[in-house]
Amino acid sequence: MKKYQQSTAIDRLPRIQMRTITKHLEQAERDGRPTRIYLRTCAGPRTHLWVLTYDPRGNTPNLLVVWHTPDGERRTSRLMVGWKRSNLGKGRIRLFVCPATGRLVFKVYLAPWEGFFSRYAFTHWHYTAAHDSHRQRLMNKFYTATSRIEDWPTRYLSYAGRPTRRTRRLAHWCLRQASLERQLSAIVQIWKESGGLDDLLSDWPDI
């Protein structure tokens, strides 16, 4: 099979991760019969709903995925499931077999009109952040940390007078936001001294 030739932002493609469906696959293998999995994933403004059917029987277990093209056409793709030995010496690890390259991977991405492939099947792929400046990446990280803190649930932050895991994660995002704020403030100060502050602050967060 030929590789997918179009230039693609790989982080904007909908994907299936092995870790999100591992429990369902293990249950099907224990039962010794096919099982159906309903998977919901978001990529950009679209939400994708897929139906996965896993058949553990035979020498080559496979996963049948029902998906839709951008114009609504219903299609199916068959993904083989393989294994490799754990580098920790704890049994085997379950992975996808890429239909285009044959490599064992943890993630497969949906190429529009084509099907599911690993990132190695895309000849011209990139991450969106690779085209952003250092300033833009800092701003994106700052916005992400701020939105996480604002949307953080306030219940169960302590139990029996001791902080919970949720509290420790919140503290992590607060420290991350403070660190980013210091970096952004330093850049603002540099631009103040250089006289180009008006252009810089046109899309700058309030800090």
PDB file of all heavy atoms in Angstrom, residues 24-50:
ATOM      1  N   HIS A  24     -11.263  -3.264  26.985  1.00  0.00           N
ATOM      2  CA  HIS A  24     -12.293  -3.942  26.195  1.00  0.00           C
ATOM      3  C   HIS A  24     -11.710  -5.143  25.443  1.00  0.00           C
ATOM      4  O   HIS A  24     -12.349  -6.197  25.344  1.00  0.00           O
ATOM      5  CB  HIS A  24     -12.922  -2.968  25.209  1.00  0.00           C
ATOM      6  CG  HIS A  24     -13.566  -1.780  25.847  1.00  0.00           C
ATOM      7  ND1 HIS A  24     -14.794  -1.842  26.454  1.00  0.00           N
ATOM      8  CD2 HIS A  24     -13.144  -0.494  25.994  1.00  0.00           C
ATOM      9  CE1 HIS A  24     -15.121  -0.652  26.932  1.00  0.00           C
ATOM     10  NE2 HIS A  24     -14.130   0.182  26.665  1.00  0.00           N
ATOM     11  N   LEU A  25     -10.493  -4.981  24.916  1.00  0.00           N
ATOM     12  CA  LEU A  25      -9.867  -6.081  24.191  1.00  0.00           C
ATOM     13  C   LEU A  25      -9.536  -7.233  25.129  1.00  0.00           C
ATOM     14  O   LEU A  25      -9.703  -8.409  24.780  1.00  0.00           O
ATOM     15  CB  LEU A  25      -8.601  -5.587  23.481  1.00  0.00           C
ATOM     16  CG  LEU A  25      -8.756  -4.395  22.527  1.00  0.00           C
ATOM     17  CD1 LEU A  25      -7.473  -4.180  21.747  1.00  0.00           C
ATOM     18  CD2 LEU A  25      -9.925  -4.582  21.583  1.00  0.00           C
ATOM     19  N   GLU A  26      -9.055  -6.907  26.331  1.00  0.00           N
ATOM     20  CA  GLU A  26      -8.734  -7.952  27.308  1.00  0.00           C
ATOM     21  C   GLU A  26      -9.987  -8.732  27.707  1.00  0.00           C
ATOM     22  O   GLU A  26      -9.941  -9.960  27.856  1.00  0.00           O
ATOM     23  CB  GLU A  26      -8.075  -7.334  28.531  1.00  0.00           C
ATOM     24  CG  GLU A  26      -6.680  -6.778  28.263  1.00  0.00           C
ATOM     25  CD  GLU A  26      -6.106  -6.066  29.472  1.00  0.00           C
ATOM     26  OE1 GLU A  26      -6.880  -5.799  30.430  1.00  0.00           O
ATOM     27  OE2 GLU A  26      -4.899  -5.779  29.469  1.00  0.00           O
ATOM     28  N   GLN A  27     -11.104  -8.014  27.873  1.00  0.00           N
ATOM     29  CA  GLN A  27     -12.348  -8.685  28.237  1.00  0.00           C
ATOM     30  C   GLN A  27     -12.813  -9.622  27.119  1.00  0.00           C
ATOM     31  O   GLN A  27     -13.271 -10.745  27.369  1.00  0.00           O
ATOM     32  CB  GLN A  27     -13.431  -7.649  28.539  1.00  0.00           C
ATOM     33  CG  GLN A  27     -14.758  -8.238  29.013  1.00  0.00           C
ATOM     34  CD  GLN A  27     -14.634  -8.990  30.315  1.00  0.00           C
ATOM     35  OE1 GLN A  27     -13.990  -8.509  31.251  1.00  0.00           O
ATOM     36  NE2 GLN A  27     -15.240 -10.165  30.399  1.00  0.00           N
ATOM     37  N   ALA A  28     -12.685  -9.178  25.870  1.00  0.00           N
ATOM     38  CA  ALA A  28     -13.078 -10.021  24.737  1.00  0.00           C
ATOM     39  C   ALA A  28     -12.197 -11.267  24.657  1.00  0.00           C
ATOM     40  O   ALA A  28     -12.683 -12.357  24.330  1.00  0.00           O
ATOM     41  CB  ALA A  28     -12.982  -9.223  23.438  1.00  0.00           C
ATOM     42  N   GLU A  29     -10.908 -11.127  24.962  1.00  0.00           N
ATOM     43  CA  GLU A  29     -10.015 -12.277  24.924  1.00  0.00           C
ATOM     44  C   GLU A  29     -10.342 -13.263  26.039  1.00  0.00           C
ATOM     45  O   GLU A  29     -10.226 -14.481  25.854  1.00  0.00           O
ATOM     46  CB  GLU A  29      -8.564 -11.803  25.007  1.00  0.00           C
ATOM     47  CG  GLU A  29      -8.120 -11.051  23.754  1.00  0.00           C
ATOM     48  CD  GLU A  29      -6.809 -10.324  23.951  1.00  0.00           C
ATOM     49  OE1 GLU A  29      -6.255 -10.413  25.070  1.00  0.00           O
ATOM     50  OE2 GLU A  29      -6.346  -9.666  23.007  1.00  0.00           O
ATOM     51  N   ARG A  30     -10.746 -12.752  27.204  1.00  0.00           N
ATOM     52  CA  ARG A  30     -11.138 -13.654  28.288  1.00  0.00           C
ATOM     53  C   ARG A  30     -12.428 -14.398  27.939  1.00  0.00           C
ATOM     54  O   ARG A  30     -12.574 -15.583  28.260  1.00  0.00           O
ATOM     55  CB  ARG A  30     -11.313 -12.873  29.593  1.00  0.00           C
ATOM     56  CG  ARG A  30     -10.002 -12.445  30.240  1.00  0.00           C
ATOM     57  CD  ARG A  30     -10.228 -11.964  31.656  1.00  0.00           C
ATOM     58  NE  ARG A  30     -11.034 -10.739  31.686  1.00  0.00           N
ATOM     59  CZ  ARG A  30     -10.520  -9.508  31.711  1.00  0.00           C
ATOM     60  NH1 ARG A  30      -9.203  -9.347  31.685  1.00  0.00           N
ATOM     61  NH2 ARG A  30     -11.304  -8.452  31.752  1.00  0.00           N
ATOM     62  N   ASP A  31     -13.360 -13.704  27.293  1.00  0.00           N
ATOM     63  CA  ASP A  31     -14.634 -14.326  26.929  1.00  0.00           C
ATOM     64  C   ASP A  31     -14.501 -15.243  25.712  1.00  0.00           C
ATOM     65  O   ASP A  31     -15.339 -16.121  25.502  1.00  0.00           O
ATOM     66  CB  ASP A  31     -15.688 -13.259  26.648  1.00  0.00           C
ATOM     67  CG  ASP A  31     -16.008 -12.426  27.889  1.00  0.00           C
ATOM     68  OD1 ASP A  31     -15.695 -12.896  29.001  1.00  0.00           O
ATOM     69  OD2 ASP A  31     -16.544 -11.314  27.732  1.00  0.00           O
ATOM     70  N   GLY A  32     -13.478 -14.984  24.882  1.00  0.00           N
ATOM     71  CA  GLY A  32     -13.277 -15.796  23.694  1.00  0.00           C
ATOM     72  C   GLY A  32     -14.286 -15.549  22.597  1.00  0.00           C
ATOM     73  O   GLY A  32     -14.564 -16.436  21.780  1.00  0.00           O
ATOM     74  N   ARG A  33     -14.848 -14.355  22.551  1.00  0.00           N
ATOM     75  CA  ARG A  33     -15.842 -14.038  21.513  1.00  0.00           C
ATOM     76  C   ARG A  33     -15.728 -12.564  21.128  1.00  0.00           C
ATOM     77  O   ARG A  33     -15.172 -11.767  21.884  1.00  0.00           O
ATOM     78  CB  ARG A  33     -17.253 -14.331  22.007  1.00  0.00           C
ATOM     79  CG  ARG A  33     -17.639 -13.624  23.291  1.00  0.00           C
ATOM     80  CD  ARG A  33     -19.005 -14.061  23.791  1.00  0.00           C
ATOM     81  NE  ARG A  33     -19.354 -13.451  25.064  1.00  0.00           N
ATOM     82  CZ  ARG A  33     -19.898 -12.261  25.204  1.00  0.00           C
ATOM     83  NH1 ARG A  33     -20.144 -11.516  24.139  1.00  0.00           N
ATOM     84  NH2 ARG A  33     -20.212 -11.787  26.406  1.00  0.00           N
ATOM     85  N   PRO A  34     -16.248 -12.177  19.951  1.00  0.00           N
ATOM     86  CA  PRO A  34     -16.150 -10.774  19.514  1.00  0.00           C
ATOM     87  C   PRO A  34     -16.886  -9.836  20.463  1.00  0.00           C
ATOM     88  O   PRO A  34     -17.864 -10.214  21.112  1.00  0.00           O
ATOM     89  CB  PRO A  34     -16.807 -10.789  18.125  1.00  0.00           C
ATOM     90  CG  PRO A  34     -16.726 -12.208  17.680  1.00  0.00           C
ATOM     91  CD  PRO A  34     -16.845 -13.037  18.924  1.00  0.00           C
ATOM     92  N   THR A  35     -16.393  -8.598  20.518  1.00  0.00           N
ATOM     93  CA  THR A  35     -17.037  -7.579  21.335  1.00  0.00           C
ATOM     94  C   THR A  35     -17.114  -6.287  20.538  1.00  0.00           C
ATOM     95  O   THR A  35     -16.307  -6.048  19.635  1.00  0.00           O
ATOM     96  CB  THR A  35     -16.254  -7.339  22.646  1.00  0.00           C
ATOM     97  OG1 THR A  35     -16.984  -6.443  23.483  1.00  0.00           O
ATOM     98  CG2 THR A  35     -14.893  -6.728  22.358  1.00  0.00           C
ATOM     99  N   ARG A  36     -18.099  -5.461  20.870  1.00  0.00           N
ATOM    100  CA  ARG A  36     -18.304  -4.192  20.173  1.00  0.00           C
ATOM    101  C   ARG A  36     -17.951  -3.039  21.101  1.00  0.00           C
ATOM    102  O   ARG A  36     -18.321  -3.025  22.275  1.00  0.00           O
ATOM    103  CB  ARG A  36     -19.742  -4.064  19.695  1.00  0.00           C
ATOM    104  CG  ARG A  36     -20.039  -2.797  18.899  1.00  0.00           C
ATOM    105  CD  ARG A  36     -21.386  -2.885  18.210  1.00  0.00           C
ATOM    106  NE  ARG A  36     -21.361  -3.902  17.158  1.00  0.00           N
ATOM    107  CZ  ARG A  36     -22.416  -4.213  16.422  1.00  0.00           C
ATOM    108  NH1 ARG A  36     -23.572  -3.607  16.619  1.00  0.00           N
ATOM    109  NH2 ARG A  36     -22.333  -5.130  15.480  1.00  0.00           N
ATOM    110  N   ILE A  37     -17.215  -2.050  20.561  1.00  0.00           N
ATOM    111  CA  ILE A  37     -16.749  -0.901  21.335  1.00  0.00           C
ATOM    112  C   ILE A  37     -17.244   0.364  20.646  1.00  0.00           C
ATOM    113  O   ILE A  37     -17.077   0.518  19.425  1.00  0.00           O
ATOM    114  CB  ILE A  37     -15.207  -0.879  21.428  1.00  0.00           C
ATOM    115  CG1 ILE A  37     -14.679  -2.220  21.955  1.00  0.00           C
ATOM    116  CG2 ILE A  37     -14.734   0.269  22.308  1.00  0.00           C
ATOM    117  CD1 ILE A  37     -13.193  -2.393  21.781  1.00  0.00           C
ATOM    118  N   TYR A  38     -17.822   1.266  21.415  1.00  0.00           N
ATOM    119  CA  TYR A  38     -18.262   2.560  20.880  1.00  0.00           C
ATOM    120  C   TYR A  38     -17.262   3.622  21.355  1.00  0.00           C
ATOM    121  O   TYR A  38     -17.084   3.821  22.554  1.00  0.00           O
ATOM    122  CB  TYR A  38     -19.672   2.891  21.352  1.00  0.00           C
ATOM    123  CG  TYR A  38     -20.705   1.906  20.859  1.00  0.00           C
ATOM    124  CD1 TYR A  38     -21.066   0.810  21.636  1.00  0.00           C
ATOM    125  CD2 TYR A  38     -21.295   2.061  19.610  1.00  0.00           C
ATOM    126  CE1 TYR A  38     -22.000  -0.114  21.173  1.00  0.00           C
ATOM    127  CE2 TYR A  38     -22.230   1.148  19.146  1.00  0.00           C
ATOM    128  CZ  TYR A  38     -22.578   0.067  19.930  1.00  0.00           C
ATOM    129  OH  TYR A  38     -23.499  -0.842  19.469  1.00  0.00           O
ATOM    130  N   LEU A  39     -16.622   4.273  20.412  1.00  0.00           N
ATOM    131  CA  LEU A  39     -15.544   5.208  20.720  1.00  0.00           C
ATOM    132  C   LEU A  39     -15.903   6.596  20.216  1.00  0.00           C
ATOM    133  O   LEU A  39     -16.309   6.758  19.062  1.00  0.00           O
ATOM    134  CB  LEU A  39     -14.234   4.732  20.082  1.00  0.00           C
ATOM    135  CG  LEU A  39     -12.971   5.536  20.411  1.00  0.00           C
ATOM    136  CD1 LEU A  39     -12.673   5.452  21.899  1.00  0.00           C
ATOM    137  CD2 LEU A  39     -11.792   5.016  19.594  1.00  0.00           C
ATOM    138  N   ARG A  40     -15.722   7.584  21.075  1.00  0.00           N
ATOM    139  CA  ARG A  40     -15.969   8.977  20.721  1.00  0.00           C
ATOM    140  C   ARG A  40     -14.668   9.749  20.852  1.00  0.00           C
ATOM    141  O   ARG A  40     -13.988   9.654  21.875  1.00  0.00           O
ATOM    142  CB  ARG A  40     -17.029   9.582  21.635  1.00  0.00           C
ATOM    143  CG  ARG A  40     -17.291  11.062  21.402  1.00  0.00           C
ATOM    144  CD  ARG A  40     -18.350  11.562  22.373  1.00  0.00           C
ATOM    145  NE  ARG A  40     -18.599  12.975  22.204  1.00  0.00           N
ATOM    146  CZ  ARG A  40     -19.454  13.671  22.935  1.00  0.00           C
ATOM    147  NH1 ARG A  40     -20.141  13.056  23.885  1.00  0.00           N
ATOM    148  NH2 ARG A  40     -19.639  14.955  22.725  1.00  0.00           N
ATOM    149  N   THR A  41     -14.302  10.486  19.818  1.00  0.00           N
ATOM    150  CA  THR A  41     -13.072  11.263  19.847  1.00  0.00           C
ATOM    151  C   THR A  41     -13.310  12.608  19.180  1.00  0.00           C
ATOM    152  O   THR A  41     -14.158  12.734  18.293  1.00  0.00           O
ATOM    153  CB  THR A  41     -11.928  10.513  19.142  1.00  0.00           C
ATOM    154  OG1 THR A  41     -10.726  11.271  19.228  1.00  0.00           O
ATOM    155  CG2 THR A  41     -12.255  10.278  17.680  1.00  0.00           C
ATOM    156  N   CYS A  42     -12.568  13.615  19.618  1.00  0.00           N
ATOM    157  CA  CYS A  42     -12.691  14.978  19.078  1.00  0.00           C
ATOM    158  C   CYS A  42     -11.401  15.352  18.364  1.00  0.00           C
ATOM    159  O   CYS A  42     -10.308  15.070  18.846  1.00  0.00           O
ATOM    160  CB  CYS A  42     -12.980  15.984  20.192  1.00  0.00           C
ATOM    161  SG  CYS A  42     -14.544  15.703  21.048  1.00  0.00           S
ATOM    162  N   ALA A  43     -11.536  15.985  17.219  1.00  0.00           N
ATOM    163  CA  ALA A  43     -10.397  16.484  16.457  1.00  0.00           C
ATOM    164  C   ALA A  43     -10.807  17.809  15.838  1.00  0.00           C
ATOM    165  O   ALA A  43     -11.620  17.831  14.913  1.00  0.00           O
ATOM    166  CB  ALA A  43      -9.973  15.487  15.387  1.00  0.00           C
ATOM    167  N   GLY A  44     -10.259  18.907  16.370  1.00  0.00           N
ATOM    168  CA  GLY A  44     -10.674  20.218  15.899  1.00  0.00           C
ATOM    169  C   GLY A  44     -12.122  20.485  16.278  1.00  0.00           C
ATOM    170  O   GLY A  44     -12.568  20.147  17.377  1.00  0.00           O
ATOM    171  N   PRO A  45     -12.921  21.041  15.366  1.00  0.00           N
ATOM    172  CA  PRO A  45     -14.320  21.345  15.697  1.00  0.00           C
ATOM    173  C   PRO A  45     -15.250  20.144  15.586  1.00  0.00           C
ATOM    174  O   PRO A  45     -16.403  20.228  15.994  1.00  0.00           O
ATOM    175  CB  PRO A  45     -14.687  22.399  14.646  1.00  0.00           C
ATOM    176  CG  PRO A  45     -13.820  22.068  13.474  1.00  0.00           C
ATOM    177  CD  PRO A  45     -12.527  21.546  14.050  1.00  0.00           C
ATOM    178  N   ARG A  46     -14.781  19.013  15.050  1.00  0.00           N
ATOM    179  CA  ARG A  46     -15.645  17.868  14.798  1.00  0.00           C
ATOM    180  C   ARG A  46     -15.514  16.814  15.898  1.00  0.00           C
ATOM    181  O   ARG A  46     -14.451  16.620  16.474  1.00  0.00           O
ATOM    182  CB  ARG A  46     -15.304  17.221  13.453  1.00  0.00           C
ATOM    183  CG  ARG A  46     -15.607  18.082  12.244  1.00  0.00           C
ATOM    184  CD  ARG A  46     -15.445  17.276  10.984  1.00  0.00           C
ATOM    185  NE  ARG A  46     -16.348  16.126  10.964  1.00  0.00           N
ATOM    186  CZ  ARG A  46     -16.286  15.173  10.039  1.00  0.00           C
ATOM    187  NH1 ARG A  46     -15.380  15.224   9.086  1.00  0.00           N
ATOM    188  NH2 ARG A  46     -17.138  14.167  10.072  1.00  0.00           N
ATOM    189  N   THR A  47     -16.624  16.145  16.167  1.00  0.00           N
ATOM    190  CA  THR A  47     -16.650  15.003  17.063  1.00  0.00           C
ATOM    191  C   THR A  47     -16.919  13.754  16.230  1.00  0.00           C
ATOM    192  O   THR A  47     -17.866  13.716  15.449  1.00  0.00           O
ATOM    193  CB  THR A  47     -17.735  15.159  18.140  1.00  0.00           C
ATOM    194  OG1 THR A  47     -17.449  16.315  18.922  1.00  0.00           O
ATOM    195  CG2 THR A  47     -17.775  13.938  19.047  1.00  0.00           C
ATOM    196  N   HIS A  48     -16.085  12.744  16.406  1.00  0.00           N
ATOM    197  CA  HIS A  48     -16.197  11.521  15.614  1.00  0.00           C
ATOM    198  C   HIS A  48     -16.704  10.397  16.500  1.00  0.00           C
ATOM    199  O   HIS A  48     -16.211  10.194  17.617  1.00  0.00           O
ATOM    200  CB  HIS A  48     -14.832  11.142  15.021  1.00  0.00           C
ATOM    201  CG  HIS A  48     -14.263  12.188  14.110  1.00  0.00           C
ATOM    202  ND1 HIS A  48     -14.385  12.120  12.735  1.00  0.00           N
ATOM    203  CD2 HIS A  48     -13.580  13.327  14.371  1.00  0.00           C
ATOM    204  CE1 HIS A  48     -13.792  13.169  12.191  1.00  0.00           C
ATOM    205  NE2 HIS A  48     -13.303  13.926  13.163  1.00  0.00           N
ATOM    206  N   LEU A  49     -17.685   9.669  15.998  1.00  0.00           N
ATOM    207  CA  LEU A  49     -18.238   8.509  16.681  1.00  0.00           C
ATOM    208  C   LEU A  49     -17.940   7.281  15.837  1.00  0.00           C
ATOM    209  O   LEU A  49     -18.360   7.204  14.679  1.00  0.00           O
ATOM    210  CB  LEU A  49     -19.745   8.666  16.902  1.00  0.00           C
ATOM    211  CG  LEU A  49     -20.184   9.864  17.753  1.00  0.00           C
ATOM    212  CD1 LEU A  49     -21.703   9.976  17.753  1.00  0.00           C
ATOM    213  CD2 LEU A  49     -19.672   9.713  19.180  1.00  0.00           C
ATOM    214  N   TRP A  50     -17.219   6.327  16.421  1.00  0.00           N
ATOM    215  CA  TRP A  50     -16.837   5.130  15.691  1.00  0.00           C
ATOM    216  C   TRP A  50     -17.358   3.892  16.406  1.00  0.00           C
ATOM    217  O   TRP A  50     -17.486   3.858  17.621  1.00  0.00           O
ATOM    218  CB  TRP A  50     -15.310   5.028  15.575  1.00  0.00           C
ATOM    219  CG  TRP A  50     -14.691   6.144  14.815  1.00  0.00           C
ATOM    220  CD1 TRP A  50     -15.218   6.799  13.747  1.00  0.00           C
ATOM    221  CD2 TRP A  50     -13.413   6.758  15.064  1.00  0.00           C
ATOM    222  NE1 TRP A  50     -14.355   7.772  13.299  1.00  0.00           N
ATOM    223  CE2 TRP A  50     -13.236   7.771  14.087  1.00  0.00           C
ATOM    224  CE3 TRP A  50     -12.407   6.535  15.985  1.00  0.00           C
ATOM    225  CZ2 TRP A  50     -12.099   8.551  14.032  1.00  0.00           C
ATOM    226  CZ3 TRP A  50     -11.261   7.323  15.936  1.00  0.00           C
ATOM    227  CH2 TRP A  50     -11.122   8.318  14.966  1.00  0.00           C
TER     228      TRP A  50
END
